[in-house]
Amino acid sequence: MKDNRPSWDEYFMEIVDLIKTRSTCLRRQVGALIVKDKRILATGYNGAPMDCKHCSEVGCLRDQLNIPSGQRHELCRGIHAEQNALVQAAYSGISVKDGTLYVTNQPCVLCAKMAINAGIKKIVFSGEYPDELAMELLKEAGIRVVKFK
């Protein structure tokens, strides 16, 4: 009998596509998911910190200043999906060491550095992001990076 179930990567990437729908970013919706031993540990999407107004309510400062994608992250009131997933795990006291990070877009350099130091061993992403340094650091750190279909 043929198994028509999705592969694990397909399954988790479908979930990050759902997670990203919670994003309040006006520029790009991103979803992230951390998995270990085929079990979901934490999720995250990009948006403002808890109890802070979302960009959908107050507008996007980076758009107002015409800042290109991938630059001047410090001017964004939102936190990236990968950062939110890592923080959610830490908040709950869950180790993500040796886990896999699934994300809708290639991580930026800030998220890449956090994933490296959190002990993530594999990153699976689908969409592009203009950040070559992130990919260089992930390679240097020995993190397996997979571009999904």
Side-chain angles (χ1 to χ4, degrees):
M1 185 165 134
K2 187 174 187 231
D3 186 359
N4 290 326
R5 298 185 309 164
S7 71
W8 285 107
D9 283 352
E10 290 169 337
Y11 174 70
F12 292 126
M13 288 304 289
E14 284 186 34
I15 294 171
V16 296
D17 277 336
L18 176 61
I19 293 166
K20 79 178 184 182
T21 64
R22 290 283 307 153
S23 170
T24 57
C25 180
L26 300 175
R27 286 182 152 199
R28 178 191 321 250
Q29 291 188 317
V30 180
L33 176 69
I34 302 173
V35 173
K36 188 173 176 181
D37 300 324
K38 299 177 186 165
R39 286 170 174 75
I40 296 170
L41 302 179
T43 65
Y45 53 87
N46 55 331
M50 289 189 311
D51 302 324
C52 295
K53 290 183 180 175
H54 295 285
C55 299
S56 56
E57 297 173 88
V58 298
C60 176
L61 179 60
R62 294 178 59 193
D63 271 351
Q64 294 165 16
L65 298 174
N66 294 315
I67 296 171
S69 181
Q71 297 179 17
R72 303 294 312 270
H73 298 282
E74 76 278 7
L75 295 178
C76 179
R77 70 185 295 113
I79 179 170
H80 289 186
E82 304 95 317
Q83 294 168 350
N84 256 334
L86 290 165
V87 169
Q88 183 187 88
Y91 186 87
S92 300
I94 298 169
S95 172
V96 298
K97 185 176 183 292
D98 299 324
T100 299
L101 173 65
Y102 290 89
V103 64
T104 53
N105 293 80
Q106 174 202 306
C108 73
V109 69
L110 300 173
C111 293
K113 291 187 285 188
M114 289 179 71
I116 291 166
N117 280 0
I120 295 293
K121 291 298 177 204
K122 179 181 173 186
I123 296 175
V124 180
F125 73 94
S126 55
E128 300 294 330
Y129 192 76
D131 199 326
E132 291 178 27
L133 180 57
M135 297 303 276
E136 288 175 27
L137 288 172
L138 292 167
K139 182 179 179 182
E140 182 180 336
I143 308 263
R144 186 170 163 224
V145 179
V146 177
K147 175 118 191 314
F148 185 77
K149 297 182 187 181

